[in-house]
Amino acid sequence: MNHNQANFLYSLKPLTSIQLPDNSQIITTCEIKEIYDKIIQLQTKITNNVSQWDTTERQEFWLSIMDIWIELTKQSAAITYNKLYLLTDCFNRISALWQQCVESKSIIDINDNYTIEKAFSSCLMMLDTSHIYNFLYKIDEISNETIIPFNVHLILSVSSYFARYLSSNHSWIFNDRMGVLITLINYVEQRIKLIKTLSGSIVECIINLFWNLSDRIFLVPILVKINLPKNIVNWLSYSYEHCVSFISIIHNLSRHDEGVDALNKCNTIEIIKNYQHEKSFMINMERLLLISMILAQLSSPEQLKCDKRIMNGVLNELLQRTMNAAKNESFSDDTGFHISEFLAVMVKLFVVEERTLDYILCHAETEPSSDLSSVIQLFTSLLMSFNDALNKQNQLEQLTLIIIVNILWSISFQTQYLQELIINNKEALLIIESLAENNNKEIINQYKPRSIESIHVAARGIIHNIQKYSESHTVLNHIQNEISNKQSIKRVKPSVMISYSHDNKKFCDKLVNFLSTKQNVFDMWIDHMNCQTASDLWESIAIGIEQANVIVCLISNYYFESKSCRQEFVYATDTLHKLIVPVLLEKFKPKGWLGIRIPGIKYVRFQNIEELDQLKLMDLLDTIQATLSLTMSSIDNSSTLQQKEYYEPTASYLHTVPTSNHRLRINQWLLASKDDIEAWFSHHHISTQLCDLYDFQTGQEMLLYGKQLIQNYEKHLDIYSKAFIKKYNGDELLPHEFQRFMEAIKELLENNMTSVISS
């Protein structure tokens, strides 16, 4: 978050300790007199029709100020008594000139990258001069009435102002000036424990500079390199007077993945929680929101689940602030947060924890009240508002558009929400279709968190989910017919597809090299070998999944946080009911959307992804071949039976690959045992928690209940949601999972209609 520093120069008191000399004394100091005259000319010029200046005139004006200021700074390194009086007045006039510049908004052109670059780099250069460097390293600060601290204060204030307008094209400025930033950190570190009142001090100016630099998210890696995260967390414990500044900087750092990693190494979550507990009486709603957003960015899904009351309050506030900001022309709320900051937190939460999406869409408490339709309408209206961002050179607008499309992609993963999106948001879908098809529009090169996919990938993901939703009633039969036709012609080798995150590509390449030695047993399918162009990416991947007999998923935290990987996984498991061989990388443990879909399935873990363990490789190969044997046996038996007449019970291979091909005809469900019922739940990717909650003992009992469920879905959702919360200590039943259960049991009823009637 950025803050308003329009009055940043007014805290700088003029140098008044020495009166100006008479004219005869001024004339004798020729070098300073020449600078003095130039400053007077600039002060006169700024009062004359500045609003009519063109870009060239503005640039010349700014460059003139900076050149004079740089020369004046050099002169201050060798102060003599004769020059002191006039030098003091020159610095006072430079300060006054900058005040006039800030007031005359017509000469502040935030789109003039060249002037912003020149002004900011000149400030860093002046801070890097030897006499200022020496001053910053002295523990005993020189009197505030002397020229050097006055100039340092002025330089920091102006650099802080221009830091707000830096773009990613300006990152090069810091290449040779990292030492300046480190010097500023050391200055604060030496004094922050000693100074009780920081208002108006150089320490405060430095903190403000880092606040504005951290708000330029592309600069966070530079701030990580100079160890700002560790220092800013420490400073929070030293000085509570500027805790809002410190917390805001920590929040800005947490918006970048490298910042998250650095802050977590500093135990920031516990420090922030302790601060929240100790200073609860000082925390207003704005500060609470900042803290909550920090915790959301830094925490794992498990940590976020620990306190649902607090989490729900955060989600309420995020949605409320988004609604408020959407009403303003600037898309910022009353406290200065841009709408993208709220949406970016939602994106991460939606990726790793489905419950947050359900809560935001269906249960959030806002004013005015919201519901599924109004919240989706909010996101689609924002899509239309930022639709033209790709035609503009505005990083913030483009990032906001990317985030919105990613949110709509998260919504499209769940059938009941996708229906609302399709039915009532036709105009938004046309925009998404255009974004999916048009890959030629240039996007400003900028940072985006790993939880956010590119706009073209996200748009194509939405279109893919819509298409597969439309085809859901026919796709399985089509695929089965294709398999049967191929089987009637000749026996083909089975296919193994590799699903992975590109952040794990190095490991994937090593694994593919090993598995490729077994191509006499099975064919390999991987995206970079089969997707020739970007335009056919999703279609090619979908075909690869459809034709594969087994999907090998290389599962890491990158995989878990990637919506592209999630799309592949969900299509393979939920739509096509493919068999999965999970390969867990390093110490990752399945959780969230992934955890509920692979409970107990046989997996292989590679603790070291740099050097592949040969025993693990052979274990993986054995698992793949055993799973292929099962699927090929199923294909052989399918020539006389329709696919939907059977299910593959997975209970027998929850901990090991099955060695037998146990089957039960779905239309003979009255004969189902408890083991068959558990296998049915697992096959349809319905959690074991829901299976245990119902505890069906026979197939007949399950069919009779299914008839009641279809007749009054809402009633049973309410009953079993409450029962679920009670049984599992406050965990909530996800609506989309109950919907999945209902759709599966509805299909079971259709295949056993005669049995149900006779019962």
Side-chain angles (χ1 to χ4, degrees), residues 240 274-283 287:
Y240 287 110
N274 290 338
Y275 164 82
Q276 187 177 9
H277 176 72
E278 294 174 3
K279 300 295 177 179
S280 57
F281 64 94
M282 296 173 52
I283 298 177
R287 204 174 305 179

Side-chain angles (χ1 to χ4, degrees), residues 465-599:
N465 285 344
I466 292 173
Q467 290 173 343
K468 295 311 171 186
Y469 169 79
S470 302
E471 298 168 2
S472 61
H473 298 295
T474 59
V475 66
L476 288 178
N477 289 336
H478 169 74
I479 295 168
Q480 180 60 31
N481 290 336
E482 288 294 315
I483 293 173
S484 298
N485 290 338
K486 290 179 181 180
Q487 287 299 112
S488 63
I489 298 172
K490 68 173 185 176
R491 177 78 179 203
V492 296
K493 283 190 295 184
S495 172
V496 174
M497 177 188 179
I498 307 294
S499 174
Y500 69 106
S501 164
H502 283 264
D503 289 287
N504 298 123
K505 187 176 185 301
K506 186 182 293 186
F507 173 83
C508 181
D509 290 343
K510 294 178 183 178
L511 193 61
V512 169
N513 288 338
F514 169 76
L515 294 177
S516 296
T517 62
K518 303 299 178 182
Q519 288 193 353
N520 61 320
V521 180
F522 51 78
D523 289 326
M524 293 283 299
W525 195 103
I526 191 166
D527 58 358
H528 63 78
M529 296 168 57
N530 294 273
C531 301
Q532 302 303 316
T533 64
S535 61
D536 67 358
L537 177 63
W538 279 117
E539 190 60 30
S540 298
I541 291 176
I543 292 172
I545 296 172
E546 291 163 4
Q547 293 180 348
N549 299 88
V550 169
I551 317 293
V552 175
C553 301
L554 310 186
I555 299 175
S556 65
N557 203 58
Y558 296 120
Y559 190 97
F560 174 62
E561 293 183 354
S562 166
K563 282 196 283 293
S564 297
C565 295
R566 176 178 176 180
Q567 180 130 325
E568 294 174 22
F569 192 97
V570 169
Y571 182 51
T573 57
D574 292 20
T575 303
L576 303 183
H577 304 298
K578 294 287 183 177
L579 292 183
I580 302 294
V581 175
V583 177
L584 305 186
L585 304 187
E586 299 178 306
K587 297 181 180 180
F588 178 78
K589 295 181 180 180
K591 50 195 173 184
W593 66 266
L594 188 59
I596 65 174
R597 287 179 169 87
I598 55 171

